[in-house]
Amino acid sequence: MSAQPLAQHIFDVEKRRAARDAVSIRAALHEPGEDGHEILVGNLSPFGFMAISPKAYREGTLVRLDLPLIGEVNARIVWSLSDRIGAEFIRPFDARGYRQLLDSTPHKAQNDED
């Protein structure tokens, strides 16, 4: 990622609709019609997520994230940098389901290393 896209990414992160919660959730991610693979979700909100993924994705790719207690959620990759991806959900999920998911998973401290 060159300096300009990185600067744009930082600017875009500041414009998020909701703060993200630091989490450590193993989940499955896949493109429709393809086999999934495990990712580690590092932060999450009802509107999107950031994760570490062994597979590279291009910006704009449509994916499905399979979250515990929530099930499959459609998302679009917004950015990709090395082994990290950021995505926004096509349709945010409900607050109650989100709260149940957070209450059932370990939270990562803000300064934890991956």
Side-chain angles (χ1 to χ4, degrees):
M1 181 177 279
S2 69
Q4 183 59 32
L6 180 58
Q8 183 64 46
H9 165 69
I10 292 169
F11 177 75
D12 290 342
V13 165
E14 296 303 317
K15 296 188 312 183
R16 284 186 181 143
R17 293 180 276 178
R20 299 253 175 110
D21 292 292
V23 296
S24 183
I25 301 172
R26 297 212 178 271
L29 185 70
H30 65 93
E31 293 179 61
E34 293 191 10
D35 290 335
H37 63 277
E38 186 175 274
I39 62 169
L40 179 63
V41 178
N43 69 43
L44 182 69
S45 84
F47 300 98
F49 67 95
M50 184 283 298
I52 297 172
S53 171
K55 179 180 175 182
Y57 287 93
R58 294 173 58 150
E59 292 178 21
T61 302
L62 296 177
V63 294
R64 289 187 181 167
L65 176 65
D66 191 4
L67 288 167
L69 299 176
I70 301 291
E72 287 194 343
V73 184
N74 295 319
R76 180 180 62 86
I77 302 296
V78 176
W79 61 267
S80 178
L81 179 61
S82 186
D83 64 345
R84 294 176 189 263
I85 57 172
E88 66 181 352
F89 295 124
I90 303 301
R91 192 172 308 131
F93 46 84
D94 72 287
R96 185 181 343 189
Y98 180 70
R99 190 55 38 208
Q100 289 174 339
L101 174 63
L102 288 183
D103 291 344
S104 71
T105 59
H107 290 261
K108 219 170 59 167
Q110 291 293 339
N111 60 353
D112 280 356
E113 294 295 321
D114 292 322

